[in-house]
Amino acid sequence: MGIAACFPGLFTDVTRDAAKYAFVSKEIFETGNWMQISIMGEPYYQKPQLLFWLSAASFQVFGISNFSFKILIFIYSLLGCFAVFKLSERLTDRKTGFISAIMVIFSVIFVLYTMDIHTDTVLFTNVALSLWAIRCWLTNEKPFYAFLSGLALGLSFITKGPFGLLIPIGSAAGFLLWKRKISAKIAQQSILIVFITILIGLLAVVPIFQKNGFNGVWYFLWDNNLKRLSGEFNKTSTDYFFYFHNLLYLFLPWTLFLFSGIVFIIRDYFRKKLNANEFFIFWGLFLFLFILSIAQSKLPNYIMSGLPLLAIVSARAWNEIFDKKQKTLVFIHIIILIVLILFTILIPLWFPVQPEHYIWIGIPALTIPAFIFFKTNEAKTTLFVRTLITMLAIALTLNLYVFPMLFSKQGAPKAAKIINEKSLASEEVYYLSPTDISIRDSIEMLNTTAVPGAENIQTELHFYRNYELMFYCEKSVNYIEQLEDIEDIINRRGIWIYTDPTGLEQIQNLTKKPLDLFSIDHLNLKRPAKYIRPSTRGKSLEKTYLVHLE
């Protein structure tokens, strides 16, 4: 049921990073170049290939759509849930393993990031596989698990570079620190793991070297990773508690058990009560949380890669709270569930409801009687199932109503739909944003990097492109990158230009030709708070324009 509740999110429009990844996958599909990752022919070095390969392969089967972009990644994430089960079973017991996997599937973060795809969605699976394989290898010392560990670590690397290795290496170090010795087999087989990891990692590194030499490799391994830590690149937040307050909602409805579990494992660490498996959890999790918290580049989706260990810590806390009959914490959890159920009831009153949404609002409401009347002879089981019912209502509310309603407010997909329906085969499509042009001009005036020859890399990374328009438009989207080029372009025949009010003013000042003008409301999903608040909703939509010059 939890998997089914995620399924509608596969049809929701993409935005921002997900739109960029969708377009990159589309370009791989259209060009057939599976190794050299690019955007409009420009090298793209921020992310390695694995996510793009999954989506491009899906495009080969299903064609280009929201669903085909997400479906293989979603299936891959389910493999991650199975890996969480196997990992937790190895570290604790089979029952706790089952609880850990269920907590992942029935969580807000899983529902959100299987709808809004990021590289961390794929990395979640590879980290879970790496942790499970490494833990099996450290116990059995068999070459098969060494090979599997190297394979999973290699897949982590070609998902998100060196960052993908952080948690598995931290957990393995914690386990060996507890044992305080390394057997001859472990030392020998470690060479095999490193070799396989490097061999797979070369799939990401070699194409970069071929295109931009050592400068590109240096950027990929250093600037794009460690400079995010210092804030020299893509600085977003200095808040050391950023992930604390994001986990408060992202790990609902299990938040209480997550933070209780973190407190419990810290308590046992200082009491020197942790066994080898708990050291494995502790060092992987806290190295991850520490690095993320001090980093100057922070985004909520980064949490996804830590989800396997977060779920196991939460499952352990669930068992301890009930085993020790901590009734106060159980009562607080029940209050949280009631608040969440009320959320699913009241959300239609908060957001505007269209007639086509009436049926979808009714579906989550059907879960409420199940929550009230479900009961077993064991209070622990009853509350667990009621928690699942609550999350099912939330997932359905988000995926059937809230997400589609918000994401459908974007202007670019609507503009692309008009172009796809009305344009002729000979006509061209352009995107014009005077703001983006000024940003690019400013960047090109700066010394963007201390690495000689890497200026093209930095310019490409900082220059924003309208990836939503590029993904949804069946035609290639050209860019007006200099204001001086506008007059020449608008004097041609058969031109479509998607722009903002400033761009429209520039066009109107330069031509006397009649304009076929489409006014399109646009919600910037980077700043959705104004739309969420009813008092400011009317001011939250920006005007964009699609201009057709016949």
Side-chain angles (χ1 to χ4, degrees):
M1 289 172 61
I3 294 171
C6 291
F7 198 74
L10 305 182
F11 297 90
T12 301
D13 284 347
V14 295
T15 189
R16 295 172 52 75
D17 283 350
K20 180 194 291 185
Y21 303 149
F23 177 74
V24 173
S25 304
K26 177 183 175 182
E27 188 158 306
I28 291 173
F29 167 67
E30 291 179 340
T31 64
N33 189 344
W34 292 73
M35 298 304 296
Q36 298 284 356
I37 305 303
S38 63
I39 294 178
M40 298 180 68
E42 295 180 359
Y44 178 65
Y45 298 147
Q46 277 195 2
K47 300 293 184 293
Q49 302 102 320
L50 187 56
L51 180 151
F52 311 126
W53 285 348
L54 290 172
S55 293
S58 184
F59 290 159
Q60 295 274 7
V61 178
F62 301 108
I64 296 173
S65 67
N66 292 326
F67 174 81
S68 56
F69 168 59
K70 300 177 186 182
I71 182 59
L72 278 188
I73 296 172
F74 177 64
I75 293 171
Y76 198 71
S77 71
L78 296 180
L79 173 62
C81 296
F82 177 73
V84 169
F85 164 70
K86 297 299 292 182
L87 171 65
S88 184
E89 182 185 37
R90 168 69 65 169
L91 295 174
T92 54
D93 54 66
R94 188 174 184 82
K95 186 176 181 180
T96 306
F98 176 77
I99 293 172
S100 301
I102 291 297
M103 282 183 167
V104 171
I105 296 172
F106 285 82
S107 66
V108 168
I109 189 171
F110 189 77
V111 171
L112 175 59
Y113 290 119
T114 53
M115 181 279 301
D116 185 24
I117 298 295
H118 287 70
T119 50
D120 306 275
T121 312
V122 179
L123 186 59
F124 153 71
T125 293
N126 292 329
V127 167
L129 288 170
S130 299
L131 290 170
W132 171 61
I134 289 171
R135 184 61 193 88
C136 292
W137 167 65
L138 289 171
T139 301
N140 299 329
E141 300 183 1
K142 293 182 178 179
F144 170 75
Y145 286 111
F147 172 81
L148 194 60
S149 298
L151 175 63
L153 288 170
L155 291 174
S156 297
F157 187 87
I158 64 169
T159 302
K160 206 167 183 179
F163 178 78
L165 309 180
L166 175 65
I167 297 174
I169 289 175
S171 288
F175 182 88
L176 295 173
L177 183 65
W178 184 89
K179 289 190 71 174
R180 297 187 179 180
K181 64 178 181 179
I182 300 175
S183 69
K185 276 189 176 181
I186 291 293
Q188 292 166 2
Q189 292 173 8
S190 296
I191 299 173
L192 175 63
I193 293 175
V194 172
F195 174 76
I196 295 172
T197 302
I198 292 175
L199 190 65
I200 297 172
L202 287 175
L203 293 173
V205 174
V206 169
I208 296 174
F209 177 78
Q210 291 174 332
K211 196 74 174 180
N212 210 268
F214 286 109
N215 293 328
V217 174
W218 179 263
Y219 167 78
F220 173 70
L221 296 176
W222 181 265
D223 290 3
N224 192 41
N225 288 277
L226 296 181
K227 282 196 174 182
R228 292 177 186 265
L229 185 66
S230 65
E232 294 177 66
F233 176 71
N234 199 32
K235 183 174 181 179
T236 56
S237 175
T238 57
D239 179 7
Y240 294 118
F241 295 97
F242 177 88
Y243 292 104
F244 170 79
H245 50 74
N246 275 276
L247 278 169
L248 287 173
Y249 75 90
L250 283 173
F251 207 68
L252 285 170
W254 314 103
T255 306
L256 177 69
F257 300 97
L258 170 61
F259 287 106
S260 298
I262 291 174
V263 170
F264 293 163
I265 200 168
I266 293 174
R267 174 201 65 193
D268 292 343
Y269 176 80
F270 285 105
R271 291 179 180 178
K272 298 183 178 180
K273 291 184 177 181
L274 296 183
N275 59 32
N277 286 335
E278 290 163 339
F279 249 76
F280 185 88
I281 297 169
F282 180 88
W283 280 100
L285 180 60
F286 283 95
L287 177 64
F288 169 72
L289 292 176
F290 174 74
I291 295 296
L292 256 64
S293 297
I294 65 171
Q296 303 294 292
S297 176
K298 297 183 176 76
L299 290 171
N301 49 279
Y302 293 171
I303 297 171
M304 274 294 288
S305 58
L307 194 53
L309 294 181
L310 293 171
I312 294 170
V313 164
S314 303
R316 290 174 72 252
W318 173 274
N319 290 329
E320 181 172 337
I321 286 171
F322 277 93
D323 292 345
K324 295 185 177 180
K325 299 181 179 180
Q326 298 180 8
K327 294 182 178 179
T328 302
L329 292 177
V330 173
F331 177 75
I332 294 172
H333 180 63
I334 292 171
I335 296 298
I336 292 172
L337 295 185
I338 293 172
V339 171
L340 293 175
I341 284 289
L342 289 174
F343 165 81
T344 65
I345 297 173
L346 298 177
I347 196 69
L349 303 179
W350 191 268
F351 288 107
V353 182
Q354 304 298 324
E356 61 267 24
H357 293 138
Y358 291 159
I359 186 172
W360 303 125
I361 295 168
I363 290 176
L366 295 176
T367 62
I368 297 171
F371 175 88
I372 295 171
F373 295 110
F374 180 85
K375 191 173 183 180
T376 66
N377 293 328
E378 188 182 17
K380 182 179 179 181
T381 302
T382 299
L383 186 58
F384 188 77
V385 174
R386 284 179 172 172
T387 305
L388 300 185
I389 292 170
T390 302
M391 187 57 216
L392 183 63
I394 294 170
L396 290 171
T397 300
L398 292 174
N399 272 332
L400 292 174
Y401 177 55
V402 177
F403 291 155
M405 184 267 298
L406 285 174
F407 281 64
S408 66
K409 301 297 181 184
Q410 297 179 96
K414 290 183 278 190
K417 184 177 180 181
I418 295 171
I419 294 169
N420 293 340
E421 291 175 352
K422 296 181 178 294
S423 65
L424 301 176
S426 60
E427 294 183 322
E428 295 181 304
V429 180
Y430 286 85
Y431 175 69
L432 168 62
S433 172
T435 302
D436 291 348
I437 292 172
S438 65
I439 292 173
R440 177 163 183 161
D441 289 344
S442 299
I443 290 171
E444 290 180 340
M445 292 175 64
L446 299 174
N447 293 322
T448 56
T449 177
V451 182
E455 291 82 0
N456 291 337
I457 300 171
Q458 293 292 323
T459 300
E460 181 272 325
L461 291 171
H462 286 84
F463 182 52
Y464 175 74
R465 298 193 182 280
N466 194 314
Y467 296 108
E468 294 85 358
L469 183 66
M470 294 161 69
F471 175 63
Y472 287 109
C473 192
E474 295 172 1
K475 291 178 173 290
S476 296
V477 177
N478 303 290
Y479 277 76
I480 300 177
E481 298 185 358
Q482 300 292 334
L483 293 177
E484 295 79 8
D485 297 336
I486 299 175
E487 186 170 6
D488 175 61
I489 291 169
I490 62 177
N491 285 327
R492 304 176 195 169
R493 296 176 61 86
I495 298 295
W496 294 83
I497 303 176
Y498 182 58
T499 188
D500 56 22
T502 306
L504 177 63
E505 184 179 353
Q506 296 264 6
I507 294 170
Q508 290 174 328
N509 289 338
L510 290 171
T511 184
K512 301 294 185 181
K513 294 166 64 174
L515 303 179
D516 191 4
L517 188 64
F518 300 85
S519 177
I520 301 172
D521 288 333
H522 168 67
L523 174 63
N524 187 339
L525 289 174
K526 186 178 180 180
R527 298 182 292 274
K530 283 187 177 181
Y531 189 83
I532 293 173
R533 291 195 298 269
S535 60
T536 57
R537 186 168 295 150
K539 302 176 182 178
S540 63
L541 295 178
E542 304 168 0
K543 282 291 182 185
T544 60
Y545 299 94
L546 180 61
V547 180
H548 183 209
L549 296 158
E550 296 183 6

